Amino acid sequence: MRIAQLAPLAESVPPRLYGGTERVVAWLVDELVEFGHDVTLFASGDSRTKGKLHPVWPRALRLGRKGVDPSAACAILLESVARRAKDFDVIHAHIDWLPLPLLGRLSVPFLTTMHGRLDLPGLPDVVRQFPNAGFVSISEHQRRPLPGANWIATIQHGLPSHLFKPSLERGSYLAFLGRFTVEKGPEDAIRIAQAAGKPLRIAAKIPRGETRYFKKTIEPLIDGRAVHLVGEVDEAKKQPFLAEAAALLFPIDWPEPFGLVMIEAMACGTPVIAYRSGSVPEVVEDGVTGFIVENVDQATRAVAELGRLDRKTIRARFEARFSASRMAREYEQAYRGLIAT
């Protein structure tokens, strides 16, 4: 098949540092190319891919030149796709609602993977405007707020099996990986580590809009010993960060659509202690790949139970459920279904 992939322009594909969606797109494109498909990636010019790169904008917007209007870059993206639409058998968008008015008029089969939360005001109105647009959710929980959407599949994320090497050692610290926002739970992660008497290492991005929250709430708790800030990590640094941890803490307070960091930890053989929110029960097998808990107290008790979990089993469950190959095969099936209709 000739497949177009439309990626967000905020980060490169894959991202240099933080960026879940762009990382998944990179893995998907590479796997599809390995399957023998002709894949074109519409993304920033600093992206790297086994497919054919159509550079829409010179550099990823977040780490590129300041002051660039994101709408200008998106306009060029849409125009680029419109001009080349007839080159493809199917178009796969990862940029939410933005391209729907265009894609619905191009006479080329298309689908959109929704990567974010869907419980926001106004989204049901958008769905009603595009009754024939096919959507893919990344968890069953994610799609609940929009039952009227044309859901054609739920396809959970996957990552290359060779990307992370598992460690069978129990680990000496707890890890938090993500970004500094209230909904990701960094404060609770600190409380859990303190209550469990374990050091906590934090590898997290500080979003521009969350600087005040970080300075006021998180920074005073970071002492460099019991709570150590690592900063954003790339793929090379993420491997030892997760593999050498006793557990990943995932104390979220929002309807997490998937939680890529959970399967990254599992790929390292590292268990996950997560709050029961969003997709967590679909990803974590309680008592096997980690523990699903309700609050700080339960999470603290779970830390004491980590010895019951087998890291070799955790890695095996990752391989069985969350490989990039499995993800790409499921998308391949979705593409064929669209083309056949």
Side-chain angles (χ1 to χ4, degrees), residues 3 10 30 35 46 56 73 75-76 82 109 133 138 146 151 198 201 207 213 247 274 286 298 315 339:
I3 306 167
D30 288 353
F35 292 169
D46 51 348
V56 174
I76 294 177
I138 55 178
L146 297 178
W151 297 109
K198 286 272 193 179
R201 295 186 186 180
Y213 164 72
D286 190 43
Q298 289 186 14
R315 169 69 188 197
I339 294 171

mmCIF file with all atom_site columns, all heavy atoms in Angstrom, residues 3 10 30 35 46 56 73 75-76 82 109 133 138 146 151 198 201 207 213 247 274 286 298 315 339:
data_model
loop_
_atom_site.group_PDB
_atom_site.id
_atom_site.type_symbol
_atom_site.label_atom_id
_atom_site.label_alt_id
_atom_site.label_comp_id
_atom_site.label_asym_id
_atom_site.label_entity_id
_atom_site.label_seq_id
_atom_site.pdbx_PDB_ins_code
_atom_site.Cartn_x
_atom_site.Cartn_y
_atom_site.Cartn_z
_atom_site.occupancy
_atom_site.B_iso_or_equiv
_atom_site.pdbx_formal_charge
_atom_site.auth_seq_id
_atom_site.auth_comp_id
_atom_site.auth_asym_id
_atom_site.auth_atom_id
_atom_site.pdbx_PDB_model_num
ATOM 1   N N   . ILE A 1 3   ? 1.015   4.670  1.660  1.00 0.00 ? 3   ILE A N   1
ATOM 2   C CA  . ILE A 1 3   ? 0.427   5.208  2.893  1.00 0.00 ? 3   ILE A CA  1
ATOM 3   C C   . ILE A 1 3   ? 1.047   6.552  3.243  1.00 0.00 ? 3   ILE A C   1
ATOM 4   O O   . ILE A 1 3   ? 2.274   6.695  3.252  1.00 0.00 ? 3   ILE A O   1
ATOM 5   C CB  . ILE A 1 3   ? 0.648   4.238  4.063  1.00 0.00 ? 3   ILE A CB  1
ATOM 6   C CG1 . ILE A 1 3   ? 0.127   2.833  3.712  1.00 0.00 ? 3   ILE A CG1 1
ATOM 7   C CG2 . ILE A 1 3   ? -0.014  4.753  5.334  1.00 0.00 ? 3   ILE A CG2 1
ATOM 8   C CD1 . ILE A 1 3   ? 0.590   1.757  4.667  1.00 0.00 ? 3   ILE A CD1 1
ATOM 9   N N   . ALA A 1 10  ? 5.020   19.884 16.363 1.00 0.00 ? 10  ALA A N   1
ATOM 10  C CA  . ALA A 1 10  ? 5.627   20.431 17.575 1.00 0.00 ? 10  ALA A CA  1
ATOM 11  C C   . ALA A 1 10  ? 6.970   19.784 17.864 1.00 0.00 ? 10  ALA A C   1
ATOM 12  O O   . ALA A 1 10  ? 7.902   20.420 18.353 1.00 0.00 ? 10  ALA A O   1
ATOM 13  C CB  . ALA A 1 10  ? 4.686   20.253 18.768 1.00 0.00 ? 10  ALA A CB  1
ATOM 14  N N   . ASP A 1 30  ? 8.254   3.015  10.570 1.00 0.00 ? 30  ASP A N   1
ATOM 15  C CA  . ASP A 1 30  ? 9.372   2.103  10.342 1.00 0.00 ? 30  ASP A CA  1
ATOM 16  C C   . ASP A 1 30  ? 8.893   0.655  10.204 1.00 0.00 ? 30  ASP A C   1
ATOM 17  O O   . ASP A 1 30  ? 9.392   -0.099 9.347  1.00 0.00 ? 30  ASP A O   1
ATOM 18  C CB  . ASP A 1 30  ? 10.401  2.213  11.466 1.00 0.00 ? 30  ASP A CB  1
ATOM 19  C CG  . ASP A 1 30  ? 11.200  3.508  11.404 1.00 0.00 ? 30  ASP A CG  1
ATOM 20  O OD1 . ASP A 1 30  ? 11.052  4.260  10.413 1.00 0.00 ? 30  ASP A OD1 1
ATOM 21  O OD2 . ASP A 1 30  ? 11.979  3.781  12.347 1.00 0.00 ? 30  ASP A OD2 1
ATOM 22  N N   . PHE A 1 35  ? 7.379   -3.991 6.542  1.00 0.00 ? 35  PHE A N   1
ATOM 23  C CA  . PHE A 1 35  ? 6.372   -4.901 5.986  1.00 0.00 ? 35  PHE A CA  1
ATOM 24  C C   . PHE A 1 35  ? 6.300   -4.802 4.460  1.00 0.00 ? 35  PHE A C   1
ATOM 25  O O   . PHE A 1 35  ? 5.587   -5.574 3.827  1.00 0.00 ? 35  PHE A O   1
ATOM 26  C CB  . PHE A 1 35  ? 4.988   -4.593 6.561  1.00 0.00 ? 35  PHE A CB  1
ATOM 27  C CG  . PHE A 1 35  ? 4.834   -4.904 8.018  1.00 0.00 ? 35  PHE A CG  1
ATOM 28  C CD1 . PHE A 1 35  ? 3.712   -4.464 8.704  1.00 0.00 ? 35  PHE A CD1 1
ATOM 29  C CD2 . PHE A 1 35  ? 5.795   -5.629 8.718  1.00 0.00 ? 35  PHE A CD2 1
ATOM 30  C CE1 . PHE A 1 35  ? 3.547   -4.746 10.052 1.00 0.00 ? 35  PHE A CE1 1
ATOM 31  C CE2 . PHE A 1 35  ? 5.640   -5.904 10.070 1.00 0.00 ? 35  PHE A CE2 1
ATOM 32  C CZ  . PHE A 1 35  ? 4.514   -5.465 10.739 1.00 0.00 ? 35  PHE A CZ  1
ATOM 33  N N   . ASP A 1 46  ? 13.572  17.935 10.487 1.00 0.00 ? 46  ASP A N   1
ATOM 34  C CA  . ASP A 1 46  ? 14.601  17.288 11.306 1.00 0.00 ? 46  ASP A CA  1
ATOM 35  C C   . ASP A 1 46  ? 14.172  15.898 11.775 1.00 0.00 ? 46  ASP A C   1
ATOM 36  O O   . ASP A 1 46  ? 14.788  15.318 12.674 1.00 0.00 ? 46  ASP A O   1
ATOM 37  C CB  . ASP A 1 46  ? 14.982  18.167 12.504 1.00 0.00 ? 46  ASP A CB  1
ATOM 38  C CG  . ASP A 1 46  ? 13.771  18.637 13.307 1.00 0.00 ? 46  ASP A CG  1
ATOM 39  O OD1 . ASP A 1 46  ? 12.633  18.482 12.822 1.00 0.00 ? 46  ASP A OD1 1
ATOM 40  O OD2 . ASP A 1 46  ? 13.971  19.177 14.405 1.00 0.00 ? 46  ASP A OD2 1
ATOM 41  N N   . VAL A 1 56  ? 7.703   19.282 6.006  1.00 0.00 ? 56  VAL A N   1
ATOM 42  C CA  . VAL A 1 56  ? 6.710   20.350 5.945  1.00 0.00 ? 56  VAL A CA  1
ATOM 43  C C   . VAL A 1 56  ? 7.268   21.660 6.472  1.00 0.00 ? 56  VAL A C   1
ATOM 44  O O   . VAL A 1 56  ? 6.992   22.736 5.943  1.00 0.00 ? 56  VAL A O   1
ATOM 45  C CB  . VAL A 1 56  ? 5.462   19.944 6.762  1.00 0.00 ? 56  VAL A CB  1
ATOM 46  C CG1 . VAL A 1 56  ? 4.469   21.087 6.837  1.00 0.00 ? 56  VAL A CG1 1
ATOM 47  C CG2 . VAL A 1 56  ? 4.825   18.699 6.157  1.00 0.00 ? 56  VAL A CG2 1
ATOM 48  N N   . ALA A 1 73  ? 2.602   26.831 9.982  1.00 0.00 ? 73  ALA A N   1
ATOM 49  C CA  . ALA A 1 73  ? 3.186   25.524 9.684  1.00 0.00 ? 73  ALA A CA  1
ATOM 50  C C   . ALA A 1 73  ? 2.090   24.503 9.378  1.00 0.00 ? 73  ALA A C   1
ATOM 51  O O   . ALA A 1 73  ? 2.223   23.690 8.453  1.00 0.00 ? 73  ALA A O   1
ATOM 52  C CB  . ALA A 1 73  ? 4.040   25.052 10.865 1.00 0.00 ? 73  ALA A CB  1
ATOM 53  N N   . ALA A 1 75  ? -0.871  25.121 8.141  1.00 0.00 ? 75  ALA A N   1
ATOM 54  C CA  . ALA A 1 75  ? -1.446  25.438 6.834  1.00 0.00 ? 75  ALA A CA  1
ATOM 55  C C   . ALA A 1 75  ? -0.618  24.817 5.716  1.00 0.00 ? 75  ALA A C   1
ATOM 56  O O   . ALA A 1 75  ? -1.160  24.265 4.741  1.00 0.00 ? 75  ALA A O   1
ATOM 57  C CB  . ALA A 1 75  ? -1.538  26.949 6.651  1.00 0.00 ? 75  ALA A CB  1
ATOM 58  N N   . ILE A 1 76  ? 0.695   24.880 5.850  1.00 0.00 ? 76  ILE A N   1
ATOM 59  C CA  . ILE A 1 76  ? 1.576   24.281 4.843  1.00 0.00 ? 76  ILE A CA  1
ATOM 60  C C   . ILE A 1 76  ? 1.429   22.767 4.851  1.00 0.00 ? 76  ILE A C   1
ATOM 61  O O   . ILE A 1 76  ? 1.446   22.106 3.794  1.00 0.00 ? 76  ILE A O   1
ATOM 62  C CB  . ILE A 1 76  ? 3.031   24.698 5.096  1.00 0.00 ? 76  ILE A CB  1
ATOM 63  C CG1 . ILE A 1 76  ? 3.180   26.211 4.864  1.00 0.00 ? 76  ILE A CG1 1
ATOM 64  C CG2 . ILE A 1 76  ? 3.983   23.943 4.181  1.00 0.00 ? 76  ILE A CG2 1
ATOM 65  C CD1 . ILE A 1 76  ? 4.561   26.741 5.158  1.00 0.00 ? 76  ILE A CD1 1
ATOM 66  N N   . ALA A 1 82  ? -2.865  17.977 0.489  1.00 0.00 ? 82  ALA A N   1
ATOM 67  C CA  . ALA A 1 82  ? -3.855  18.147 -0.579 1.00 0.00 ? 82  ALA A CA  1
ATOM 68  C C   . ALA A 1 82  ? -3.225  17.983 -1.955 1.00 0.00 ? 82  ALA A C   1
ATOM 69  O O   . ALA A 1 82  ? -3.798  17.348 -2.849 1.00 0.00 ? 82  ALA A O   1
ATOM 70  C CB  . ALA A 1 82  ? -4.504  19.523 -0.459 1.00 0.00 ? 82  ALA A CB  1
ATOM 71  N N   . PRO A 1 109 ? -9.281  7.280  0.986  1.00 0.00 ? 109 PRO A N   1
ATOM 72  C CA  . PRO A 1 109 ? -9.606  6.740  2.315  1.00 0.00 ? 109 PRO A CA  1
ATOM 73  C C   . PRO A 1 109 ? -8.653  7.293  3.379  1.00 0.00 ? 109 PRO A C   1
ATOM 74  O O   . PRO A 1 109 ? -7.456  7.425  3.143  1.00 0.00 ? 109 PRO A O   1
ATOM 75  C CB  . PRO A 1 109 ? -9.409  5.230  2.136  1.00 0.00 ? 109 PRO A CB  1
ATOM 76  C CG  . PRO A 1 109 ? -9.595  4.994  0.680  1.00 0.00 ? 109 PRO A CG  1
ATOM 77  C CD  . PRO A 1 109 ? -9.038  6.212  -0.006 1.00 0.00 ? 109 PRO A CD  1
ATOM 78  N N   . ALA A 1 133 ? -16.113 10.078 9.066  1.00 0.00 ? 133 ALA A N   1
ATOM 79  C CA  . ALA A 1 133 ? -14.677 10.027 9.334  1.00 0.00 ? 133 ALA A CA  1
ATOM 80  C C   . ALA A 1 133 ? -14.375 8.878  10.287 1.00 0.00 ? 133 ALA A C   1
ATOM 81  O O   . ALA A 1 133 ? -14.999 8.752  11.347 1.00 0.00 ? 133 ALA A O   1
ATOM 82  C CB  . ALA A 1 133 ? -14.206 11.355 9.936  1.00 0.00 ? 133 ALA A CB  1
ATOM 83  N N   . ILE A 1 138 ? -6.807  4.695  21.224 1.00 0.00 ? 138 ILE A N   1
ATOM 84  C CA  . ILE A 1 138 ? -5.625  3.982  21.717 1.00 0.00 ? 138 ILE A CA  1
ATOM 85  C C   . ILE A 1 138 ? -5.918  3.235  23.019 1.00 0.00 ? 138 ILE A C   1
ATOM 86  O O   . ILE A 1 138 ? -5.046  2.562  23.558 1.00 0.00 ? 138 ILE A O   1
ATOM 87  C CB  . ILE A 1 138 ? -4.426  4.930  21.876 1.00 0.00 ? 138 ILE A CB  1
ATOM 88  C CG1 . ILE A 1 138 ? -4.760  6.123  22.776 1.00 0.00 ? 138 ILE A CG1 1
ATOM 89  C CG2 . ILE A 1 138 ? -3.974  5.422  20.499 1.00 0.00 ? 138 ILE A CG2 1
ATOM 90  C CD1 . ILE A 1 138 ? -3.573  7.067  23.002 1.00 0.00 ? 138 ILE A CD1 1
ATOM 91  N N   . LEU A 1 146 ? -17.049 9.983  23.620 1.00 0.00 ? 146 LEU A N   1
ATOM 92  C CA  . LEU A 1 146 ? -17.552 10.236 22.275 1.00 0.00 ? 146 LEU A CA  1
ATOM 93  C C   . LEU A 1 146 ? -18.120 8.951  21.667 1.00 0.00 ? 146 LEU A C   1
ATOM 94  O O   . LEU A 1 146 ? -17.609 8.427  20.673 1.00 0.00 ? 146 LEU A O   1
ATOM 95  C CB  . LEU A 1 146 ? -16.434 10.785 21.380 1.00 0.00 ? 146 LEU A CB  1
ATOM 96  C CG  . LEU A 1 146 ? -15.842 12.140 21.782 1.00 0.00 ? 146 LEU A CG  1
ATOM 97  C CD1 . LEU A 1 146 ? -14.712 12.530 20.839 1.00 0.00 ? 146 LEU A CD1 1
ATOM 98  C CD2 . LEU A 1 146 ? -16.917 13.219 21.795 1.00 0.00 ? 146 LEU A CD2 1
ATOM 99  N N   . TRP A 1 151 ? -15.937 4.936  15.387 1.00 0.00 ? 151 TRP A N   1
ATOM 100 C CA  . TRP A 1 151 ? -14.750 4.215  15.837 1.00 0.00 ? 151 TRP A CA  1
ATOM 101 C C   . TRP A 1 151 ? -14.590 2.949  15.005 1.00 0.00 ? 151 TRP A C   1
ATOM 102 O O   . TRP A 1 151 ? -15.472 2.093  14.989 1.00 0.00 ? 151 TRP A O   1
ATOM 103 C CB  . TRP A 1 151 ? -14.863 3.853  17.310 1.00 0.00 ? 151 TRP A CB  1
ATOM 104 C CG  . TRP A 1 151 ? -14.929 5.034  18.224 1.00 0.00 ? 151 TRP A CG  1
ATOM 105 C CD1 . TRP A 1 151 ? -16.010 5.465  18.933 1.00 0.00 ? 151 TRP A CD1 1
ATOM 106 C CD2 . TRP A 1 151 ? -13.864 5.938  18.516 1.00 0.00 ? 151 TRP A CD2 1
ATOM 107 N NE1 . TRP A 1 151 ? -15.684 6.593  19.652 1.00 0.00 ? 151 TRP A NE1 1
ATOM 108 C CE2 . TRP A 1 151 ? -14.378 6.910  19.414 1.00 0.00 ? 151 TRP A CE2 1
ATOM 109 C CE3 . TRP A 1 151 ? -12.542 6.040  18.108 1.00 0.00 ? 151 TRP A CE3 1
ATOM 110 C CZ2 . TRP A 1 151 ? -13.611 7.956  19.911 1.00 0.00 ? 151 TRP A CZ2 1
ATOM 111 C CZ3 . TRP A 1 151 ? -11.765 7.081  18.597 1.00 0.00 ? 151 TRP A CZ3 1
ATOM 112 C CH2 . TRP A 1 151 ? -12.300 8.016  19.490 1.00 0.00 ? 151 TRP A CH2 1
ATOM 113 N N   . LYS A 1 198 ? 12.112  5.396  49.956 1.00 0.00 ? 198 LYS A N   1
ATOM 114 C CA  . LYS A 1 198 ? 12.906  5.125  48.764 1.00 0.00 ? 198 LYS A CA  1
ATOM 115 C C   . LYS A 1 198 ? 13.289  6.432  48.081 1.00 0.00 ? 198 LYS A C   1
ATOM 116 O O   . LYS A 1 198 ? 12.504  7.377  48.042 1.00 0.00 ? 198 LYS A O   1
ATOM 117 C CB  . LYS A 1 198 ? 12.087  4.282  47.763 1.00 0.00 ? 198 LYS A CB  1
ATOM 118 C CG  . LYS A 1 198 ? 11.918  2.830  48.149 1.00 0.00 ? 198 LYS A CG  1
ATOM 119 C CD  . LYS A 1 198 ? 13.095  2.019  47.622 1.00 0.00 ? 198 LYS A CD  1
ATOM 120 C CE  . LYS A 1 198 ? 12.822  0.532  47.714 1.00 0.00 ? 198 LYS A CE  1
ATOM 121 N NZ  . LYS A 1 198 ? 13.958  -0.249 47.190 1.00 0.00 ? 198 LYS A NZ  1
ATOM 122 N N   . ARG A 1 201 ? 13.832  9.429  41.554 1.00 0.00 ? 201 ARG A N   1
ATOM 123 C CA  . ARG A 1 201 ? 14.474  10.140 40.463 1.00 0.00 ? 201 ARG A CA  1
ATOM 124 C C   . ARG A 1 201 ? 13.400  10.564 39.467 1.00 0.00 ? 201 ARG A C   1
ATOM 125 O O   . ARG A 1 201 ? 12.569  9.759  39.060 1.00 0.00 ? 201 ARG A O   1
ATOM 126 C CB  . ARG A 1 201 ? 15.525  9.268  39.780 1.00 0.00 ? 201 ARG A CB  1
ATOM 127 C CG  . ARG A 1 201 ? 16.693  8.920  40.707 1.00 0.00 ? 201 ARG A CG  1
ATOM 128 C CD  . ARG A 1 201 ? 17.798  8.183  39.972 1.00 0.00 ? 201 ARG A CD  1
ATOM 129 N NE  . ARG A 1 201 ? 18.842  7.742  40.894 1.00 0.00 ? 201 ARG A NE  1
ATOM 130 C CZ  . ARG A 1 201 ? 19.927  7.066  40.537 1.00 0.00 ? 201 ARG A CZ  1
ATOM 131 N NH1 . ARG A 1 201 ? 20.111  6.753  39.256 1.00 0.00 ? 201 ARG A NH1 1
ATOM 132 N NH2 . ARG A 1 201 ? 20.826  6.700  41.432 1.00 0.00 ? 201 ARG A NH2 1
ATOM 133 N N   . PRO A 1 207 ? 6.657   22.016 30.926 1.00 0.00 ? 207 PRO A N   1
ATOM 134 C CA  . PRO A 1 207 ? 5.962   22.759 29.875 1.00 0.00 ? 207 PRO A CA  1
ATOM 135 C C   . PRO A 1 207 ? 6.019   24.263 30.152 1.00 0.00 ? 207 PRO A C   1
ATOM 136 O O   . PRO A 1 207 ? 6.069   24.692 31.314 1.00 0.00 ? 207 PRO A O   1
ATOM 137 C CB  . PRO A 1 207 ? 4.520   22.238 29.963 1.00 0.00 ? 207 PRO A CB  1
ATOM 138 C CG  . PRO A 1 207 ? 4.631   20.924 30.667 1.00 0.00 ? 207 PRO A CG  1
ATOM 139 C CD  . PRO A 1 207 ? 5.774   21.073 31.620 1.00 0.00 ? 207 PRO A CD  1
ATOM 140 N N   . TYR A 1 213 ? 4.000   26.492 38.372 1.00 0.00 ? 213 TYR A N   1
ATOM 141 C CA  . TYR A 1 213 ? 3.655   25.330 39.190 1.00 0.00 ? 213 TYR A CA  1
ATOM 142 C C   . TYR A 1 213 ? 4.915   24.607 39.642 1.00 0.00 ? 213 TYR A C   1
ATOM 143 O O   . TYR A 1 213 ? 5.048   24.234 40.814 1.00 0.00 ? 213 TYR A O   1
ATOM 144 C CB  . TYR A 1 213 ? 2.766   24.384 38.382 1.00 0.00 ? 213 TYR A CB  1
ATOM 145 C CG  . TYR A 1 213 ? 2.659   22.987 38.948 1.00 0.00 ? 213 TYR A CG  1
ATOM 146 C CD1 . TYR A 1 213 ? 1.937   22.742 40.112 1.00 0.00 ? 213 TYR A CD1 1
ATOM 147 C CD2 . TYR A 1 213 ? 3.282   21.906 38.308 1.00 0.00 ? 213 TYR A CD2 1
ATOM 148 C CE1 . TYR A 1 213 ? 1.845   21.458 40.635 1.00 0.00 ? 213 TYR A CE1 1
ATOM 149 C CE2 . TYR A 1 213 ? 3.198   20.625 38.833 1.00 0.00 ? 213 TYR A CE2 1
ATOM 150 C CZ  . TYR A 1 213 ? 2.477   20.401 39.990 1.00 0.00 ? 213 TYR A CZ  1
ATOM 151 O OH  . TYR A 1 213 ? 2.400   19.143 40.512 1.00 0.00 ? 213 TYR A OH  1
ATOM 152 N N   . ALA A 1 247 ? 10.685  0.544  40.488 1.00 0.00 ? 247 ALA A N   1
ATOM 153 C CA  . ALA A 1 247 ? 9.346   0.646  39.912 1.00 0.00 ? 247 ALA A CA  1
ATOM 154 C C   . ALA A 1 247 ? 9.177   2.018  39.287 1.00 0.00 ? 247 ALA A C   1
ATOM 155 O O   . ALA A 1 247 ? 9.844   2.991  39.672 1.00 0.00 ? 247 ALA A O   1
ATOM 156 C CB  . ALA A 1 247 ? 8.263   0.427  40.964 1.00 0.00 ? 247 ALA A CB  1
ATOM 157 N N   . ALA A 1 274 ? 0.544   2.336  39.509 1.00 0.00 ? 274 ALA A N   1
ATOM 158 C CA  . ALA A 1 274 ? -0.259  3.368  38.863 1.00 0.00 ? 274 ALA A CA  1
ATOM 159 C C   . ALA A 1 274 ? -1.619  3.526  39.528 1.00 0.00 ? 274 ALA A C   1
ATOM 160 O O   . ALA A 1 274 ? -2.196  2.559  40.030 1.00 0.00 ? 274 ALA A O   1
ATOM 161 C CB  . ALA A 1 274 ? -0.447  3.020  37.385 1.00 0.00 ? 274 ALA A CB  1
ATOM 162 N N   . ASP A 1 286 ? -2.671  -6.099 37.065 1.00 0.00 ? 286 ASP A N   1
ATOM 163 C CA  . ASP A 1 286 ? -2.468  -5.964 38.501 1.00 0.00 ? 286 ASP A CA  1
ATOM 164 C C   . ASP A 1 286 ? -1.923  -7.262 39.097 1.00 0.00 ? 286 ASP A C   1
ATOM 165 O O   . ASP A 1 286 ? -2.471  -8.348 38.902 1.00 0.00 ? 286 ASP A O   1
ATOM 166 C CB  . ASP A 1 286 ? -3.793  -5.598 39.177 1.00 0.00 ? 286 ASP A CB  1
ATOM 167 C CG  . ASP A 1 286 ? -3.617  -5.215 40.633 1.00 0.00 ? 286 ASP A CG  1
ATOM 168 O OD1 . ASP A 1 286 ? -2.671  -4.469 40.939 1.00 0.00 ? 286 ASP A OD1 1
ATOM 169 O OD2 . ASP A 1 286 ? -4.422  -5.670 41.465 1.00 0.00 ? 286 ASP A OD2 1
ATOM 170 N N   . GLN A 1 298 ? -2.034  3.334  49.426 1.00 0.00 ? 298 GLN A N   1
ATOM 171 C CA  . GLN A 1 298 ? -1.999  2.053  48.730 1.00 0.00 ? 298 GLN A CA  1
ATOM 172 C C   . GLN A 1 298 ? -0.730  1.918  47.883 1.00 0.00 ? 298 GLN A C   1
ATOM 173 O O   . GLN A 1 298 ? -0.145  0.832  47.793 1.00 0.00 ? 298 GLN A O   1
ATOM 174 C CB  . GLN A 1 298 ? -3.237  1.893  47.842 1.00 0.00 ? 298 GLN A CB  1
ATOM 175 C CG  . GLN A 1 298 ? -4.525  1.671  48.619 1.00 0.00 ? 298 GLN A CG  1
ATOM 176 C CD  . GLN A 1 298 ? -5.707  1.377  47.717 1.00 0.00 ? 298 GLN A CD  1
ATOM 177 O OE1 . GLN A 1 298 ? -5.544  1.088  46.534 1.00 0.00 ? 298 GLN A OE1 1
ATOM 178 N NE2 . GLN A 1 298 ? -6.914  1.443  48.267 1.00 0.00 ? 298 GLN A NE2 1
ATOM 179 N N   . ARG A 1 315 ? 8.687   -8.445 31.367 1.00 0.00 ? 315 ARG A N   1
ATOM 180 C CA  . ARG A 1 315 ? 9.219   -8.300 30.010 1.00 0.00 ? 315 ARG A CA  1
ATOM 181 C C   . ARG A 1 315 ? 8.468   -9.211 29.033 1.00 0.00 ? 315 ARG A C   1
ATOM 182 O O   . ARG A 1 315 ? 8.142   -8.796 27.912 1.00 0.00 ? 315 ARG A O   1
ATOM 183 C CB  . ARG A 1 315 ? 10.716  -8.625 30.000 1.00 0.00 ? 315 ARG A CB  1
ATOM 184 C CG  . ARG A 1 315 ? 11.321  -8.767 28.616 1.00 0.00 ? 315 ARG A CG  1
ATOM 185 C CD  . ARG A 1 315 ? 11.388  -7.459 27.859 1.00 0.00 ? 315 ARG A CD  1
ATOM 186 N NE  . ARG A 1 315 ? 11.807  -7.700 26.473 1.00 0.00 ? 315 ARG A NE  1
ATOM 187 C CZ  . ARG A 1 315 ? 12.264  -6.760 25.648 1.00 0.00 ? 315 ARG A CZ  1
ATOM 188 N NH1 . ARG A 1 315 ? 12.359  -5.497 26.077 1.00 0.00 ? 315 ARG A NH1 1
ATOM 189 N NH2 . ARG A 1 315 ? 12.608  -7.059 24.417 1.00 0.00 ? 315 ARG A NH2 1
ATOM 190 N N   . ILE A 1 339 ? -9.828  0.695  2.545  1.00 0.00 ? 339 ILE A N   1
ATOM 191 C CA  . ILE A 1 339 ? -9.664  0.672  1.091  1.00 0.00 ? 339 ILE A CA  1
ATOM 192 C C   . ILE A 1 339 ? -10.704 -0.213 0.438  1.00 0.00 ? 339 ILE A C   1
ATOM 193 O O   . ILE A 1 339 ? -11.187 0.058  -0.676 1.00 0.00 ? 339 ILE A O   1
ATOM 194 C CB  . ILE A 1 339 ? -8.234  0.177  0.741  1.00 0.00 ? 339 ILE A CB  1
ATOM 195 C CG1 . ILE A 1 339 ? -7.194  1.204  1.214  1.00 0.00 ? 339 ILE A CG1 1
ATOM 196 C CG2 . ILE A 1 339 ? -8.093  -0.082 -0.746 1.00 0.00 ? 339 ILE A CG2 1
ATOM 197 C CD1 . ILE A 1 339 ? -5.768  0.716  1.111  1.00 0.00 ? 339 ILE A CD1 1
#
